[in-house]
Amino acid sequence: MCGIIGYVGLRDAVPIIVQGLKKLEYRGYDSAGIAVWGGNGFDIVKQKGRLNVLEERLRDCTIKGNIGIGHTRWATHGEPSDTNSHPHVGSRSKIAIVHNGIIENYKQLKELLEHKGAVFASQTDSEVIAQLAEYYYNGDLLETVIHVSNALEGSYALGVMSLDHPDTLIAIKKDNPLIIGVSDHGNFIASDVPAVLQHTNKVYYLNDKEITVLQRNGVEFYNINREPLQKTAETISWSADSAEKGGWEHFMLKEIVEQPKVLRETVSSVVNPGNNREVIDKIDITKFNKIAAVACGSAYNAGVVGKYVIEKLCRIPVDVELASEFRYKDAIIDEKTLVILISQSGETADTIAAMREARSKGAVCLSIVNVTGSTIAKESDFCVYTAAGPEIAVATTKAFSAQLAVLYGLAIHFALQAGELSPAGAKGFLAELEALPEKTEHILGQIDLVQKHASECVGCKSIFFIGRNIDYAIALEGSLKLKEISYIHSEAYAGGELKHGTISLIEEDTLVVAIANCPRLHGKIMSNIEQVISRGAKVLLIGNVPQAVQDDKLSVIALPPSTELFSPSLSAIVLQLFAYYVAANKGLDIDKPRNLAKSVTVE
Ligand code: AGP
């Protein structure tokens, strides 16, 4: 949930770290801080609030150094405050650390260290790492980090500096992401690739409990037994520009508009020869008697859409499970279950735990992941990558659409394998899939219309989303998108469920967004619409309804024609734009909604 970065090299570390933190701010923005070795000790500046507050403070002080670490925080232990901000140092100010993760045994360690004389400054779990490092330190920083790691329970990506080794930065990770970037002017640690892209596209991905010793001229890798490791650097194909706002007001809008390209690339990767295709071809669906789609948040919603599509095309039962529930429910799965894990980041703690649980029960895990080299991508049996590129806005848009595209590709492939679809039938569905980018472009041509409707909803206290069948699946995502960035209360309901309770919430001028793309259910959703209008609601209808009821209370945003199975990809674009413009009209911080972080690496 937090972002960490470190640099050791020829250049001034301060601007490099601050610039890297800007790329990691999506991971948390309760506070930010930096520590550099300035010649006489650590110079530390840390501050509650967004990174721009830290930047202002840095303008007033002249700290400089060629080695340093930085942090952007999503608070877990201890309120957002200057003191609880990272970096943390031990009582003797000899070792400074930045940490992303949660130390589960911090209370026991704290008690022990206090007993030994350590004086804690913060309420964080992270400070225990700095204090423990000072306690173990015997002049050998690598050995110290190994000792510390062995004593810690929980998850961590760590950057460690010591006063005695002003040329060395040490990093280690367990259950939280960390990459090592190497460039001609210096070397980096970072929670995510965009933080280093301006300097290098050569990165190493660390595995759990692998340690990196970074110096200006090179990096060395060790395992937890201090044995040297040989690792191979990977070349990142993303350009530095792809993680820049590039003139757009918000990353979210930029990312919505990028969707035709993302869809083209993702669809092509699942249809045409290449890495994704090779992976998909390896999976034999006839070996499984059920599928479990497991994920969190929007990725879960993608799984719900996937359930409707896969069940319809392949006639295989699909359970969709929240990863946070699945991991503790003693799921009924075995080697005949294909578990599909869906995750943009590939680092969501609950999804990782669910994957490990599933594998321990013998299930085969197929992941759909956006971030190369992430934990889920690496640990799953098969990984299909979405080609969304870096997604910076906390609210996912293009990665969600790319997940749907992969799920469609899988469903068609599985249906063919299972004999539920003839090659000719599959061709028709593939054509639908390949038409999505163009239809998305068409929808993006209607931005002004969506913006106009959104501007009328700014004062709404509550907005309901309804749909039937697969339209209900995408209504879930419309509702989540709206609430996470606009702070307007919202719920999604299956249209048929309204009369079982929810309809009592409908008041004069309550907005109901109805999604209607299932021709066989048009009559049903239209009667739900009439029911809410007759109780005073206003309705915004998204879909293709030839004969909508004429009513002052009803507005329509028409979608390009599509079969119902593929319509969620089209509704999603309108719903994303709708949420975006409602939030924009309220003047909110769309890319960094309050209390949220992009990558939820804690339980
Ligand atoms: C979506 O807009 C959210 N910010 C959130 O629900 C997200 O989809 C969820 O946390 C899962 O993340 P992941 O895809 O990286 O696993």
Side-chain angles (χ1 to χ4, degrees):
M1 300 294 274
C2 303
I4 70 170
I5 180 159
Y7 172 74
V8 51
L10 298 169
R11 299 191 183 165
D12 183 6
V14 177
I16 288 178
I17 288 172
V18 170
Q19 187 226 16
L21 286 178
K22 282 187 187 156
K23 298 286 177 293
L24 297 175
E25 215 188 355
Y26 71 85
R27 302 178 67 87
Y29 27 87
D30 288 329
S31 67
I34 179 168
V36 290
W37 189 82
N40 288 315
F42 295 129
D43 291 323
I44 300 180
V45 184
K46 51 189 199 170
Q47 182 86 44
K48 175 184 166 180
R50 301 258 160 127
L51 186 60
N52 57 349
V53 185
L54 178 76
E55 278 186 282
E56 260 167 47
R57 269 208 49 205
L58 286 169
R59 252 173 241 132
D60 300 337
C61 51
T62 49
I63 65 164
K64 244 178 172 348
N66 299 113
I67 178 168
I69 48 181
H71 189 271
T72 177
R73 178 170 188 242
W74 188 83
T76 58
H77 295 62
E79 55 170 10
S81 69
D82 294 352
T83 321
N84 287 335
S85 309
H86 296 222
H88 290 287
V89 289
S91 306
R92 287 178 284 140
S93 296
K94 279 182 84 69
I95 290 183
I97 64 104
V98 281
H99 168 223
N100 169 33
I102 286 191
I103 304 306
E104 286 162 6
N105 59 339
Y106 85 100
K107 280 198 178 131
Q108 298 92 300
L109 291 170
K110 190 170 176 177
E111 253 175 55
L112 178 106
L113 290 160
E114 279 177 334
H115 194 67
K116 304 272 178 198
V119 180
F120 279 75
S122 76
Q123 291 97 50
T124 64
D125 55 334
S126 307
E127 188 186 344
V128 87
I129 302 168
Q131 299 282 10
L132 195 61
E134 285 195 358
Y135 173 70
Y136 282 134
Y137 183 64
N138 61 357
D140 183 336
L141 192 57
L142 177 56
E143 190 176 309
T144 303
V145 171
I146 290 172
H147 270 133
V148 169
S149 168
N150 286 336
L152 296 178
E153 286 168 21
S155 59
Y156 45 89
L158 287 179
V160 183
M161 285 199 302
S162 127
L163 273 194
D164 293 347
H165 303 85
D167 57 349
T168 305
L169 184 60
I170 298 201
I172 183 168
K173 67 147 262 174
K174 180 181 162 268
D175 292 341
N176 268 321
L178 198 61
I179 60 114
I180 308 298
V182 287
S183 81
D184 52 5
H185 64 80
N187 300 313
F188 301 81
I189 65 168
S191 298
D192 197 1
V193 170
V196 304
L197 270 183
Q198 289 230 325
H199 304 277
T200 181
N201 63 353
K202 293 260 174 298
V203 304
Y204 295 89
Y205 291 95
L206 281 194
N207 293 317
D208 279 356
K209 295 255 186 175
E210 286 181 352
I211 308 161
T212 315
V213 177
L214 298 95
Q215 290 183 321
R216 174 186 296 185
N217 301 323
V219 295
E220 289 168 355
F221 299 98
Y222 296 89
N223 67 16
I224 200 71
N225 300 320
R226 209 179 173 147
E227 291 155 347
L229 295 173
Q230 293 305 320
K231 287 183 76 76
T232 312
E234 295 193 24
T235 305
I236 301 295
S237 56
W238 300 347
S239 70
D241 289 354
S242 59
E244 297 290 338
K245 229 189 270 179
W248 293 91
E249 202 173 344
H250 297 103
F251 275 109
M252 183 174 173
L253 186 56
K254 174 183 179 249
E255 289 162 2
I256 291 174
V257 171
E258 280 171 0
Q259 287 179 106
K261 178 172 176 276
V262 165
L263 282 169
R264 238 167 236 125
E265 287 174 13
T266 305
V267 170
S268 161
S269 78
V270 294
V271 170
N272 299 316
N275 290 348
N276 272 353
R277 189 66 229 175
E278 265 171 42
V279 171
I280 294 172
D281 285 341
K282 280 185 197 147
I283 303 163
D284 180 358
I285 199 64
T286 59
K287 293 202 171 125
F288 302 100
N289 57 20
K290 80 163 181 176
I291 292 176
V294 183
C296 302
S298 291
Y300 169 87
N301 295 337
V304 181
V305 175
K307 172 185 169 72
Y308 281 96
V309 178
I310 296 171
E311 286 189 343
K312 178 80 185 161
L313 293 188
C314 314
R315 310 312 295 162
I316 296 170
V318 181
D319 295 334
V320 193
E321 307 264 10
L322 292 166
S324 53
E325 292 296 315
F326 179 88
R327 61 186 289 191
Y328 295 117
K329 70 176 259 198
D330 192 10
I332 306 173
I333 53 169
D334 56 23
E335 58 289 344
K336 286 188 142 312
T337 312
L338 177 67
V339 173
I340 303 183
L341 300 139
I342 309 167
S343 176
Q344 187 284 131
S345 62
E347 297 294 349
T348 299
D350 286 318
T351 314
I352 292 173
M355 170 182 65
R356 291 178 181 161
E357 167 74 4
R359 294 194 79 215
S360 76
K361 290 187 159 190
V364 174
C365 287
L366 159 66
S367 62
I368 301 173
V369 170
N370 194 41
V371 177
T372 316
S374 55
T375 305
I376 296 174
K378 279 192 299 196
E379 285 188 26
S380 51
D381 300 289
F382 302 100
C383 174
V384 178
Y385 280 109
T386 46
E391 190 179 63
I392 310 294
V394 164
T396 181
T397 53
K398 59 177 181 170
F400 174 81
S401 289
Q403 288 162 355
L404 293 191
V406 171
L407 286 162
Y408 287 127
L410 287 174
I412 297 168
H413 172 73
F414 293 160
L416 266 167
Q417 272 187 336
E420 293 290 337
L421 210 52
S422 65
K427 227 173 166 187
F429 285 114
L430 282 173
E432 281 269 349
L433 181 56
E434 287 174 322
L436 286 178
E438 206 184 317
K439 291 183 185 175
T440 302
E441 268 156 8
H442 176 85
I443 295 170
L444 291 171
Q446 298 188 77
I447 279 190
D448 291 352
L449 179 66
V450 182
Q451 191 172 4
K452 175 188 153 291
H453 287 297
S455 68
E456 289 160 10
C457 305
V458 175
C460 289
K461 279 206 216 74
S462 234
I463 298 182
F464 295 92
F465 290 74
I466 61 169
R468 280 171 174 266
N469 209 257
I470 203 162
D471 287 328
Y472 165 59
I474 200 64
L476 293 169
E477 176 60 6
S479 170
L480 175 59
K481 208 82 316 181
L482 179 86
K483 69 185 125 192
E484 74 176 324
I485 59 168
S486 74
Y487 315 149
I488 293 176
H489 167 256
S490 162
E491 303 289 341
Y493 289 98
E497 191 62 17
L498 275 181
K499 56 189 173 298
H500 297 288
T502 317
I503 203 155
S504 66
L505 296 171
I506 303 295
E507 296 175 346
E508 193 61 31
D509 286 341
T510 301
L511 179 67
V512 176
V513 177
I515 302 153
N517 291 298
C518 302
R520 65 205 159 93
L521 295 170
H522 275 161
K524 305 285 177 203
I525 192 79
M526 291 318 296
S527 79
N528 293 140
I529 288 173
E530 283 176 38
Q531 286 158 11
V532 292
I533 287 182
S534 68
R535 283 157 181 86
K538 291 186 299 188
V539 174
L540 174 61
L541 177 57
I542 298 171
N544 243 303
V545 185
Q547 286 155 335
V549 268
Q550 298 297 312
D551 198 297
D552 298 347
K553 295 238 177 192
L554 179 71
S555 320
V556 180
I557 298 177
L559 295 180
S562 143
T563 53
E564 73 182 51
L565 282 187
F566 289 83
S567 66
S569 286
L570 308 179
S571 306
I573 312 295
V574 176
L575 294 166
Q576 293 164 356
L577 285 168
F578 178 73
Y580 172 80
Y581 281 113
V582 172
N585 276 305
K586 290 180 80 178
L588 296 171
D589 191 350
I590 293 176
D591 288 336
K592 301 185 197 89
R594 69 182 177 211
N595 304 337
L596 289 173
K598 179 111 190 121
S599 181
V600 185
T601 55
V602 294
E603 259 198 73

